[in-house]
Every structure is written in C-alpha cells, then in structure tokens.
Amino acid sequence: MTSMSTPTAHPNEPSRVVEQLRASVDAAFPRIVEQLADLVAIPGIAWEAFDAAELDRSAEAVAALIRDAGIGDVRILRVDNAGTPGGPAVVARRPAVGDRPTVLLYAHHDVQPPGDPSLWESEPFVATERDGRLYGRGAADDKAGIMAHIGAFRALSDVLGDSFGVGVTLFIEGEEEAGSPTFRSFLETYRQDLEADVIVVADSSNWKVGVPALTTSLRGLVDGTIEVQVLDHAVHSGMFGGPVLDAPTLLARLIATLHDAAGDVAIAGLQGGDHATVDYAEADYRSDASVLEGVQLAGTGSIASRLWHKPALSIIGMDVPSVALSSNTLLPRARAKFSLRLAPGEDPQVAMDAVRRHVEDHAPFGARVTFTPGETGSPFRTDTSEPASRLALDALEEAWGVPAVEAGMGGSIPFIADLTELFPSAQILITGVEDPDSRAHSANESLHLDEFRKAVLAEAILLARINEGGLLGDQG
C-alpha cells in the first residue's frame, strides 16, 4: 500500500483548495439534500418480513447516484448465506492514478423498520424538513453517510479535476441493520476489489451539534442466554411453594450478582478503566439518554469512561410467562438473554468464558444453570498518531471551525473487526453524520442539515489532504 505524509497546511489557515471545496459543497448542497430525500422514500429493509424488492430498488438508486457522480465502474453484488442470497451491496471503483493511495468509503443503504407509525410526527418514508432537521427513516442512519461520500467525491472532482488522483472505492452495504450476515464472506469474495490504504466508515455520530468527532474506540460485544431450572415440571404454588423457590425468582437473584452495589459489572476478569480524555456532563447524558428524574446513574468513574472504556451488561430479554397468562404455579425454568459490551482491548472469547464461570459459580440455591453463548464482536481502537487520523481530525476542525473531539462509542460495529483482520495495513477512520438527537433506530429519526453540510465538506477536505499527502509520500 502507498505511504502518506501529512501536509503542512494548518487547519486554522484554510488553503485556497479548502475554500473552493467549501463553495462547491455549498452550491451543491440543495441537490444533495434532494437526493437524500429520494433515498429516504425507498423503504429498503433487509429483514425477511419486508419486501426484498424495495431493498433491490434502494441499491439501484444508490448505483444510479454514483454513476451520476462520475464513477463508471459500478456493480450491485451479493453473496449467499447458507444458500440464501445476502443483501445487495453497491461497489463502485475509480482506480488511483499511478501509485497514489486508495480510499474505501463505506456506508449502508438498508434501514431499520419504521416501528409504530403512531409515534412518528411525519411519515417515516417521506423526508420532511422541520426546524433545520430532515426527518425520516434512514435520513441519518445511514443514507446521509452515502450522500456524504457522493457529495465529497463530487466536490473533489469539481475543484481538483484531473489532479484528483486518489483512488476511490465506494462500498455501500445492503444488510447492516440485519446484522451484516454475509459481510465477512463478501469481503473474502471481493477482497481484491475492496483493498485500500484508508477506510472511511461513515456510520457514527458527532459529539454534539457544533462539535465534530472522530470515533476512536468502539466497545466489543458478546451475548448469550442463561437458563435456570429448579423443577422437572410446574407444580401448584399453594401446595408446594415455600421450601423451593421458583425459577424466575432464582434467575432474578442470579442476574443481581452481575453488578456490584455501585452498578459496576461484577464479573471477574473483564478489562476496563477510567481513560476518557473528554468530559461528558451528567446533565447532558441524562438528557441524551432520557433518564427519568430521580433515577441514580450506575457505575463509577467519568460518564465518558463508563460509556467507552468499561464493560456494560444488560438483560435484553426474558422467557417467563406474561402477567396476562400467569397462573398460580411454581415455574420450573426461566431464561434470560444478556448483552455485554466490552472495553477496547478485551478479547471476546475471554469475556464469554468469564460470564460462563460467573453464572455457574453463582447458581442460587443449587439451581441448575445452563449457559449458551451467542454472538461475539471485537472492540476497536484507532491509533490517532497515524497520518490518516491526523488528517481526519484536521479536516473536521477546518469544516466546523472548532477542534474535533476524539470520542469513543459505547456501541459496537462488529464488522470493523473483519475490516481490521482482512485489511491489516489499512488505516480505519470512523466518522459520522449524526448527533445525539438524531434518534437513529427510533421514531422521528432526523438529520441536522447544517451539521450534514459540514460533514460533506470535512470528507472532501480529508480526501484532498490524502491527495496532497500521497504526492508528498511519493516524493519522499
């Protein structure tokens, strides 16, 4: 892969090219928003219960936009998952000139289901502008990421013309919201087409409106189920209750051992620490997370570290009878599904084994505990000393006019581990178009339009700096 050197221009001293890019993005922005609205209108959902034809239509629309931007090599590709075709991905390639670097731009065109329509203030698949925000399913996650890539590429082509020699590959996935079931196979099948020096994943969030962020760490993820059994079959609670506790009660006691009195995860052997370098005010967190008044926050250390650098365990489902279907019986078994977010640097298999040991060692009253491991996803940490990271942070500062935050993300993007493993020499950047009020996956998902404009400009500046850096690297 091609080496890169950081240009000498300081972000507080905008170059002529940056000002030209700013003007180009501003002039094209109404068209960018209009095309984003057209994408929002296509309900492409990669879940079996939804019309697959809409997902195909979404891929075709993205392919047409990329061709219109000036890239002729555009294909819609998919791989099979146990005989079932995966979601349609759009792959477009414009080769580098000579030995210039190649940048892979990732986003996804599939979206979450809309959910309860009564919770939306406007139609979920009709992009609606209110108070400087564009509302609609996928407006932020992640069709804005697609248009950020396309808008940035157009601006570079407009301003640099033939001197824009960096190779550009767009990889627009079509099944991310369904868990990317064929992602690894797709990378392995089309690895040569996707090889790059820098990978930009536009699927994260900025710090807040007015302050950009480069996501520099992600927590990993393991999940699974815990079943508690105490009886061979259900029995009458009046005739037999007292000497033996029912399975839901014992499951609750077992779940209670997963956290200590302060609310920190109490599973031995897990990594974590108070490493955050920025402050996330408690009032802001309470507002962003919609925490009810009077509810005490769990855990110790800074809010940011609890979100980014410590494990977090949630019970996300339980198999017990509903209240409506309950009867006076001692239930023989109960089951819960856990989701454990891992600190950067944690090994998912080590974490899974730690959970297994904990629940087996803490079986209440000798109950039979069955642990079933589920999915795993590795954490991620960016080396911010690498040239691409420095270029990205400078580009964000130039676009927003304020320094960018190096932020972690409490969530996980499991496919980042696949990118890291299969493209070990690539520098991976995780950028975003969202803000804390975007409500991705929820009703009234929205995109702050002025922040979006800055995100398009920042990516254009990043590509321009890589273009300049590649030339310096070639000469050095």
Side-chain angles (χ1 to χ4, degrees):
M1 292 285 103
T2 306
S3 63
M4 292 185 296
S5 300
T6 304
T8 57
H10 190 277
N12 293 325
E13 301 171 357
S15 69
R16 180 177 60 86
V17 169
V18 169
E19 293 309 310
Q20 289 175 327
L21 289 172
R22 191 185 306 275
S24 178
V25 170
D26 288 347
F29 194 65
R31 183 187 179 202
I32 293 172
V33 174
E34 180 182 348
Q35 291 176 331
L36 172 59
D38 291 340
L39 290 180
V40 170
I42 305 174
I45 302 170
W47 297 19
E48 290 184 3
F50 293 85
D51 186 0
E54 294 291 355
L55 193 61
D56 291 336
R57 188 161 70 96
S58 177
E60 291 286 357
V62 171
L65 287 172
I66 295 173
R67 291 189 188 98
D68 179 70
I71 298 179
D73 181 5
V74 183
R75 293 173 291 165
I76 297 176
L77 305 169
R78 63 178 87 214
V79 297
D80 288 350
N81 179 26
T84 300
V90 183
V91 176
R93 300 177 69 236
R94 194 201 74 159
V97 176
D99 59 355
R100 298 284 187 89
T102 293
V103 181
L104 174 68
L105 305 176
Y106 169 92
H108 62 88
H109 66 89
D110 66 304
V111 298
Q112 281 279 322
D116 185 352
S118 68
L119 299 177
W120 286 81
E121 295 179 13
S122 53
E123 291 295 323
F125 293 107
V126 177
T128 305
E129 186 175 346
R130 295 195 302 273
D131 300 323
R133 303 187 73 99
L134 189 71
Y135 289 81
R137 174 59 84 228
D141 183 18
D142 186 30
K143 290 177 176 177
I146 298 170
M147 292 310 304
H149 292 328
I150 293 174
F153 181 84
R154 285 177 181 155
L156 263 292
S157 299
D158 176 40
V159 171
L160 298 185
D162 292 341
S163 65
F164 179 27
V166 167
V168 174
T169 301
L170 284 96
F171 173 26
I172 311 300
E173 189 190 354
E175 58 180 21
E176 193 274 345
E177 299 292 8
S180 301
T182 68
F183 189 87
R184 175 70 180 226
S185 296
F186 192 95
L187 293 186
E188 292 171 343
T189 301
Y190 298 104
R191 184 171 183 171
Q192 186 173 352
D193 295 321
L194 302 174
E195 194 83 33
D197 299 278
V198 178
I199 300 174
V200 180
V201 177
D203 195 17
S204 187
S205 178
N206 287 302
W207 182 242
K208 61 182 178 180
V209 172
V211 181
L214 181 68
T215 299
T216 55
S217 68
L218 301 169
R219 289 194 291 196
L221 173 70
V222 299
D223 65 29
T225 60
I226 305 163
E227 183 178 82
V228 171
Q229 184 177 1
V230 292
L231 301 167
D232 180 66
H233 59 272
V235 296
H236 194 290
S237 63
M239 296 178 64
F240 297 100
V244 65
L245 295 177
D246 58 89
T249 295
L250 293 183
L251 178 61
R253 293 176 70 97
L254 177 55
I255 290 172
T257 70
L258 298 173
H259 295 85
D260 63 20
D264 285 310
V265 176
I267 298 171
L270 297 182
Q271 297 185 28
D274 196 0
H275 306 310
T277 58
V278 296
D279 181 43
Y280 192 168
E282 180 174 332
D284 291 341
Y285 172 80
R286 286 181 172 276
S287 175
D288 294 342
S290 71
V291 179
L292 297 179
E293 186 176 352
V295 174
Q296 298 179 21
L297 299 187
T300 56
S302 69
I303 299 291
S305 288
R306 281 180 257 177
L307 281 172
W308 304 340
H309 301 297
K310 289 190 172 187
L313 191 147
S314 303
I315 300 300
I316 60 174
M318 297 185 73
D319 287 338
V320 295
S322 67
V323 172
L325 299 177
S326 61
S327 63
N328 278 318
T329 54
L330 297 179
L331 297 174
R333 59 172 55 86
R335 187 171 65 152
K337 183 172 184 178
F338 72 90
S339 174
L340 174 62
R341 304 289 177 167
L342 310 177
E346 183 69 88
D347 183 318
Q349 190 55 55
V350 170
M352 188 76 82
D353 291 341
V355 180
R356 180 195 297 274
R357 286 194 303 272
H358 180 95
V359 299
E360 291 176 349
D361 291 347
H362 289 78
F365 288 86
R368 182 180 301 170
V369 173
T370 302
F371 179 84
T372 304
E375 299 295 324
T376 64
S378 296
F380 170 78
R381 181 182 286 119
T382 299
D383 181 357
T384 54
S385 68
E386 291 184 330
S389 295
R390 304 316 309 169
L391 292 172
L393 290 166
D394 286 351
L396 290 167
E397 182 172 348
E398 288 185 282
W400 262 265
V402 298
V405 171
E406 296 179 21
M409 180 187 283
S412 308
I413 306 180
F415 66 74
I416 293 292
D418 294 321
L419 292 172
T420 301
E421 182 178 346
L422 290 175
F423 305 112
S425 64
Q427 300 174 50
I428 299 177
L429 305 173
I430 303 175
T431 63
V433 294
E434 300 173 27
D435 65 85
D437 200 35
S438 288
R439 304 187 187 185
H441 294 201
S442 299
N444 301 305
E445 176 183 346
S446 69
L447 175 73
H448 191 288
L449 289 174
D450 191 52
E451 296 292 283
F452 177 45
R453 179 182 58 79
K454 293 172 183 174
V456 176
L457 175 60
E459 186 165 308
I461 295 171
L462 170 63
L463 292 175
R465 295 303 189 213
I466 292 175
N467 194 60
E468 296 172 13
L471 288 173
L472 290 173
D474 295 341
Q475 294 170 358

